[in-house]
Amino acid sequence: MTYRVLISDPLSEDGIYPLREAEKIEVDMITDLTAAQLQEKIVDYDALLVRSQTKVTREIIANGKRLKIIGRAGVGVDNIDLDAATAHGVIVVNAPDGNTNSASEHTMAMLMALARKIPQAYHALLQKKWDRKSHVGVELKGKTLGVIGMGRIGREVALRAKGQRMKVMAYDPFLTDDKAEQLGVSRGTVEEVVQVADFITVHTPLLKETKHLINTEAFTKMKDGVQLINCARGGIIDEEALYEAIVSGKVAGAALDVFEEEPATDHKLLELPQVIATPHLGASTVEAQENVAIDVSHDVVRLLTGDLVKNPVNMPSVPKDLMNKIEPYFYLAEKLGLFLTNVTDDVIEEITIYYAGELYEVEVAPLTRNTIKGMLKRHFGDHINDVNAAYLAEQRGIVINEQKTSTTRGFTNLITVEVKTKSGSKTVAGTLLNGLGARVVRVNNYSVDFKPQGNVLFIHHKDQPGAIGKVGSVLAEQAINIATMQVGRADVGGDAIMLLRVDKAVNEADVAVLTALPDIYGVTAMNL
């Protein structure tokens, strides 16, 4: 059988070489197709390769009667309807590693240009000014680079900075002491990093937790004369706060490749002489463009020749009979992971998932992926999925274990998730109840019966009369209504927990007020 591949965006011939050379694969490159034209043509193809120009809609996917795989020559897949692809059994692959070197080098180029004021000096020369005095820079040697986000690019930047004989302090929610030691960097919190760094570079996804991570409060904690680089995502640095910090003299300079709104040709930051900027060029190298095309081309060949793909971004197919048995547990598994990561402050080193009861005799790998996805979602956002969750956890040195037992301790089915950190371990257990759905039935040593849904407050406190009332009074003052409440305790007068579902999110200020109450040990607000 001969397979047909359609390439609807311009890709270099070097990039699609694996497709051209593969046996029984025909390749057509037809660019500038309208959505209607692509929808009509896709019916004759087994694979589709795109970059960012082509929008692969639900209608196009539905019309791809032979379509088996969609390859995105790049990192993001925002232009592909992942839900529709999964629903139609179409694997979507991308190239997460193809631009790592390019983005890392661009970050270092921006760092050096910022330190030595190269763009400003060049601009002065264009104005026929031979001005050395105004463009005195600083050396990188001996300076501290703060790296916020130690994924692929963050790690590469850290290694390159060490080559410049810089000290590196890094923050990442999954960076362990052992991993930091292997990389030759020191590990700190975001607050510790911004306090000690002479230069700060950010390399995190843009999520609710990371939006404006570098804000007015962070700037107040930084050294005078600090300099910042953002070649990751616009919005990680609060641009208004950055502007004010530069004008006030707190920040000596900033190098920006990305902005909250792009194109950013009229941005007021560009009016400041301390700012250098490029138009989102992190992945814009000949090599990067070829590498991402090569990576997805190899994956397309793998799938069409019966092999496993390397970089899938949507859920792999699961046999229908297995899916019927485990699908009801997907929601529970993800929520258990999400809950546990919210109540775990330390770096997770090991995850063990115990399956009991009717899950004893079925393949639970998809449930494990879903649990890990829930645990990592808080830090990775929509980038995390069922397929890449275990891979990303492994990349960060997290050990994943599965165990099965027929013993259920009174439940027909039970999933227990345990995480281990240097400071200890935490567990959460859940079950499916007929007619009632997912329930959390145990948190550490406390028995509860709680529906993992919506805005939740998890409170660890001393078992004393009035503790619940004090919490209720604080929430009432902020017009926060309690929908449900569960309490659990080990011994009378000992430690206890509260699990409250509330009608709206509880902000950090209210959490601080609750934490300050007598006999309250800790308060965590989360959205499940």
Side-chain angles (χ1 to χ4, degrees):
M1 178 179 179
T2 298
Y3 296 102
R4 299 188 67 191
V5 178
L6 174 62
I7 301 173
S8 60
D9 289 330
L11 294 176
S12 71
E13 281 298 319
D14 288 339
I16 63 172
Y17 178 79
L19 289 168
R20 297 287 194 197
E21 289 298 300
E23 295 182 2
K24 298 182 180 180
I25 292 180
E26 294 181 358
V27 180
D28 294 326
M29 186 180 296
I30 309 173
T31 58
D32 299 322
L33 292 170
T34 66
Q37 289 171 331
L38 179 56
Q39 185 174 336
E40 181 182 351
K41 278 193 170 293
I42 198 64
V43 71
D44 297 321
Y45 289 90
D46 302 279
L48 173 65
L49 261 66
V50 302
R51 291 190 62 194
S52 57
Q53 295 95 313
T54 298
K55 307 301 179 188
V56 188
T57 64
R58 180 174 295 272
E59 292 75 21
I60 290 170
I61 293 170
N63 211 42
K65 306 303 181 185
R66 294 171 48 179
L67 194 60
K68 300 172 182 62
I69 184 170
I70 300 169
R72 162 70 165 93
V75 177
V77 288
D78 296 343
N79 56 319
I80 300 171
D81 191 325
L82 286 179
D83 290 337
T86 301
H88 287 82
V90 178
I91 295 290
V92 179
V93 297
N94 69 345
D97 299 317
N99 66 355
T100 298
N101 189 71
S102 175
S104 305
E105 288 187 357
H106 191 68
T107 301
M108 292 304 297
M110 294 288 269
L111 171 63
M112 292 183 177
L114 182 65
R116 299 305 298 268
K117 302 183 180 180
I118 293 172
Q120 295 93 328
Y122 175 64
H123 182 73
L125 273 178
L126 294 182
Q127 305 300 315
K128 302 190 183 301
K129 298 177 183 177
W130 187 266
D131 182 4
R132 299 173 64 193
K133 188 177 296 185
S134 300
H135 302 114
V136 176
V138 296
E139 294 183 5
L140 299 182
K141 178 185 175 183
K143 302 297 191 303
T144 297
L145 176 67
V147 182
I148 298 178
M150 286 288 283
R152 297 183 310 275
I153 296 171
R155 291 197 300 270
E156 288 295 323
V157 169
L159 292 173
R160 285 164 169 76
K162 286 173 59 62
Q164 296 297 322
R165 290 184 281 180
M166 298 185 79
K167 304 170 188 174
V168 178
M169 175 176 272
Y171 163 77
D172 189 282
F174 301 102
L175 180 65
T176 64
D177 288 331
D178 290 342
K179 191 67 174 179
E181 185 177 352
Q182 289 175 18
L183 294 170
V185 304
S186 57
R187 182 173 76 92
T189 64
V190 172
E191 183 174 353
E192 289 169 340
V193 170
V194 300
Q195 285 176 338
V196 305
D198 301 292
F199 294 85
I200 298 171
T201 180
V202 293
H203 298 284
T204 72
L206 181 63
L207 309 169
K208 181 179 72 173
E209 287 81 8
T210 60
K211 183 175 175 63
H212 293 178
L213 181 66
I214 306 300
N215 52 27
T216 300
E217 182 182 357
F219 284 121
T220 63
K221 298 173 182 176
M222 294 179 190
K223 290 182 176 180
D224 292 340
V226 67
Q227 303 193 61
L228 285 85
I229 305 98
N230 186 3
C231 294
R233 290 289 184 268
I236 299 170
I237 298 176
D238 184 336
E239 292 170 357
E240 186 65 35
L242 175 61
Y243 181 89
E244 296 299 330
I246 294 173
V247 170
S248 71
K250 178 71 175 183
V251 172
L256 307 173
D257 186 47
V258 291
F259 294 84
E260 291 195 49
E261 298 291 336
E262 297 180 355
T265 52
D266 295 324
H267 203 293
K268 67 178 182 179
L269 278 168
L270 301 178
E271 300 170 3
L272 299 176
Q274 300 93 331
V275 173
I276 64 174
T278 48
H280 208 141
L281 298 181
S284 295
T285 62
V286 171
E287 293 85 352
Q289 299 303 319
E290 288 186 359
N291 287 341
V292 294
I294 290 169
D295 286 350
V296 295
S297 293
H298 277 304
D299 258 353
V300 169
V301 172
R302 288 187 187 102
L303 185 84
L304 296 181
T305 55
D307 204 350
L308 295 175
V309 298
K310 182 180 178 182
N311 296 306
V313 294
N314 64 339
M315 184 176 171
S317 59
V318 177
K320 189 174 181 179
D321 58 341
L322 175 60
M323 179 62 77
N324 290 337
K325 294 178 181 177
I326 65 173
E327 189 172 22
Y329 295 95
F330 278 3
Y331 178 88
L332 172 64
E334 181 174 344
K335 296 306 178 184
L336 291 176
L338 183 58
F339 178 89
L340 203 49
T341 195
N342 272 282
V343 300
T344 303
D345 297 326
D346 208 347
V347 178
I348 296 172
E349 298 180 342
E350 186 174 353
I351 301 166
T352 303
I353 307 170
Y354 303 88
Y355 297 97
E358 60 187 27
L359 293 170
Y360 178 69
E361 295 183 351
V362 301
E363 172 56 56
V364 293
L367 294 180
T368 296
R369 289 194 293 265
N370 230 46
T371 306
I372 304 304
K373 179 181 74 173
M375 298 194 71
L376 302 187
K377 200 169 188 177
R378 179 184 172 199
H379 302 290
F380 287 92
D382 292 337
H383 175 61
I384 199 77
N385 56 63
D386 303 76
V387 177
N388 64 12
Y391 169 74
L392 291 174
E394 183 181 348
Q395 265 197 329
R396 280 150 180 78
I398 301 173
V399 178
I400 301 170
N401 305 306
E402 282 180 2
Q403 292 192 25
K404 291 182 179 182
T405 176
S406 57
T407 304
T408 59
R409 299 178 183 177
F411 296 98
T412 305
N413 56 79
L414 191 69
I415 301 176
T416 303
V417 186
E418 178 186 22
V419 296
K420 291 183 179 179
T421 69
K422 283 197 180 301
S423 57
S425 64
K426 292 187 178 180
T427 60
V428 61
T431 188
L432 288 185
L433 297 178
N434 286 336
L436 296 175
R439 285 289 190 275
V440 174
V441 297
R442 196 164 190 82
V443 178
N444 296 324
N445 296 321
Y446 304 102
S447 295
V448 293
D449 180 7
F450 184 76
K451 188 174 184 178
Q453 177 181 308
N455 294 301
V456 173
L457 274 176
F458 174 71
I459 301 175
H460 186 206
H461 64 98
K462 186 175 178 61
D463 181 30
Q464 291 284 355
I468 294 174
K470 292 172 185 175
V471 170
S473 296
V474 170
L475 296 178
E477 289 172 4
Q478 301 303 319
I480 298 173
N481 189 50
I482 299 174
T484 64
M485 172 183 285
Q486 274 284 308
V487 295
R489 67 182 183 183
D491 301 297
V492 176
D495 292 347
I497 62 169
M498 283 184 253
L499 280 165
L500 289 73
R501 274 205 301 128
V502 293
D503 289 346
K504 65 179 183 180
V506 180
N507 61 37
E508 291 182 7
D510 292 333
V511 168
V513 173
L514 290 168
T515 305
L517 290 173
D519 299 322
I520 299 294
Y521 303 141
V523 179
T524 302
M526 64 188 86
N527 189 312
L528 299 178

